[in-house]
């Protein structure tokens, strides 16, 4: 699980072009949106693509995303349970 | 001749150089990709705007040119009623190609929302407007080459109509690592008369 969390942080920084953010800047339970990393609605869509492309998870309900993308912890837990690749 | 208005400042970005009012303002010695070059300019300008890194290359080029010009002017752009009139040859083709590549095959069909939102040239205007809180008229035109006469007439008519007090005009072109920006500020006061001949002369400077 720790490897997956590290992998997720790396992928998020790269996919969302978070140029000034280091891996160590993201705590596992930091909110990804709002006061945390400050991601926006386009970033949320980009995370949905990332889930599909890299883990074979198709999210169709936007309400699901709100829960899954709360933090690295919640993302990693969901991916562990639902990944198909 | 549209000598009622003047050009107060102009900025050119070519290859690894930035010229401000015809004088070299920034340069890098080594050959860089646009990504590296734009990051160098961003840091040189002392910008703190993380959204910059999420933009496509065309928008980055427009923002860097505008930031250089506005910094030199030393004013708050949002208070100046500045219209935006930009143009180029390739529209948003560089980003269009990236988007097309992401949907080219059924097996690897993963269009990126962050890329897709830049598949219009006038998004460059939107990014400049957001960065400087401009709520003014704006237009982006696509020409085969820099069209000084059109820009001159359009800017003069817009300013004459009273819809803006100043106009940031010019050419912001990017495609496949080839880039060039030439922007100038049109207002009542300025060193250069605002007309086709002057714009062409400054562009070729």
């Amino acid at each position: 699980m720790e490897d997956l969390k590290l992998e997720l942080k790396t992928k998020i920084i790269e996919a969302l072009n978070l140029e000034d953010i280091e891996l160590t800047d993201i705590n596992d339970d930091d909110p990804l949106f709002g006061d945390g990393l400050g991601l926006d609605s386009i970033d949320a869509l980009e995370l949905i693509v990332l889930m599909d492309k890299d883990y074979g998870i198709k999210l169709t309900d936007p309400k699901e995303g709100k829960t899954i993308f709360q933090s690295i912890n919640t993302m990693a837990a969901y991916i562990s349970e639902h990944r198909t690749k | 001749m549209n000598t009622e208005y003047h050009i107060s400042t102009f900025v050119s970005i070519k290859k690894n150089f930035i010229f401000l009012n015809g004088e070299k303002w920034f340069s890098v010695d080594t050959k860089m990709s646009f990504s590296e070059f734009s990051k160098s300019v961003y840091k040189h300008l002392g910008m703190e705007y993380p959204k910059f890194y999420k933009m496509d290359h065309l928008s980055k080029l427009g923002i860097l040119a505008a930031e250089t010009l506005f910094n030199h002017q030393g004013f708050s752009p949002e208070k100046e009623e500045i219209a935006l009139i930009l143009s180029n040859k390739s529209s948003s083709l560089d980003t269009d190609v990236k988007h097309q590549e992401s949907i080219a095959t059924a097996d690897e069909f993963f269009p990126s929302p962050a890329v897709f939102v830049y598949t219009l040239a006038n998004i460059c205007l939107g990014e400049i407007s957001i960065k400087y809180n401009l709520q003014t008229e704006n237009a982006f035109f696509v020409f085969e080459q820099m069209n000084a006469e059109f820009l001159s007439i359009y800017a003069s008519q817009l300013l004459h109509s009273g819809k803006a007090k100043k106009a940031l005009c010019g050419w912001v072109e990017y495609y496949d690592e080839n880039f060039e920006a030439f922007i100038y500020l049109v207002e009542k006061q300025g060193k250069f008369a605002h007309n086709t001949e002057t714009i062409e002369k400054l562009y070729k400077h």
Side-chain angles (χ1 to χ4, degrees), chain B residues 51-86:
Chain B
K51 193 175 186 298
F52 176 82
Y53 293 114
K54 295 172 181 283
M55 295 177 193
D56 73 337
H57 292 326
L58 181 66
S59 296
K60 282 182 179 174
L61 185 58
I63 286 276
L64 292 176
E67 179 80 7
T68 304
L69 190 148
F70 289 154
N71 270 6
H72 176 73
Q73 290 296 107
F75 55 46
S76 298
E78 71 269 23
K79 296 176 182 169
E80 302 292 328
E81 296 182 47
I82 304 170
L84 301 175
I85 308 162
L86 298 181

Side-chain angles (χ1 to χ4, degrees), chain B residues 82-145:
Chain B
I82 304 170
L84 301 175
I85 308 162
L86 298 181
S87 57
N88 74 5
K89 177 182 179 180
S90 300
S91 185
S92 59
L93 185 61
D94 190 73
T95 303
D96 298 349
V97 168
K98 283 193 181 88
H99 175 63
Q100 196 278 332
E101 286 170 352
S102 73
I103 59 172
T105 61
D107 292 343
E108 288 292 319
F109 190 92
F110 295 110
S112 161
V115 171
F116 180 73
V117 292
Y118 288 100
T119 56
L120 279 173
N122 55 359
I123 302 302
C124 175
L125 298 171
E127 291 290 9
I128 295 172
S129 296
I130 292 167
K131 170 76 174 72
Y132 303 104
N133 196 23
L134 307 179
Q135 298 178 36
T136 44
E137 295 281 326
N138 64 61
F140 201 110
F141 297 97
V142 178
F143 296 116
E144 190 61 33
Q145 58 191 16

Side-chain angles (χ1 to χ4, degrees), chain B residues 137-189:
Chain B
E137 295 281 326
N138 64 61
F140 201 110
F141 297 97
V142 178
F143 296 116
E144 190 61 33
Q145 58 191 16
M146 170 72 181
N147 190 335
E149 183 180 16
F150 179 91
L151 292 177
S152 169
I153 293 170
Y154 194 94
S156 291
Q157 286 181 343
L158 188 65
L159 294 173
H160 192 69
S161 74
K163 289 181 177 173
K165 288 183 179 168
K166 300 178 182 182
L168 185 68
C169 310
W171 180 259
V172 181
E173 160 71 11
Y174 185 98
Y175 181 63
D176 195 20
E177 288 293 322
N178 295 304
F179 60 93
E180 177 189 24
F182 166 68
I183 63 167
Y184 54 93
L185 188 66
V186 183
E187 54 184 314
K188 284 281 184 187
Q189 306 296 324

Side-chain angles (χ1 to χ4, degrees), chain A residues 1-9 28 72-81 83:
Chain A
M1 184 65 98
E2 291 308 309
D3 286 348
L4 176 58
K5 289 177 187 174
L6 189 63
E7 178 184 296
L8 265 178
K9 290 177 190 176
D28 293 349
I72 293 293
N73 276 337
T74 55
M75 273 189 82
Y78 189 87
I79 290 168
S80 294
E81 196 176 335
R83 67 188 303 171

Side-chain angles (χ1 to χ4, degrees), chain A residues 4 8 45-61 64-65 68-69 74-85, chain B residues 110:
Chain A
L4 176 58
L8 265 178
L45 294 175
E46 206 64 43
L47 290 180
I48 290 173
V49 174
L50 186 151
M51 297 282 272
D52 187 6
K53 189 176 180 181
D54 294 352
Y55 303 105
I57 298 171
K58 290 190 186 297
L59 298 177
T60 50
D61 183 359
E64 268 190 313
I68 298 162
F69 299 143
T74 55
M75 273 189 82
Y78 189 87
I79 290 168
S80 294
E81 196 176 335
H82 297 88
R83 67 188 303 171
T84 59
K85 63 180 180 183
Chain B
F110 295 110

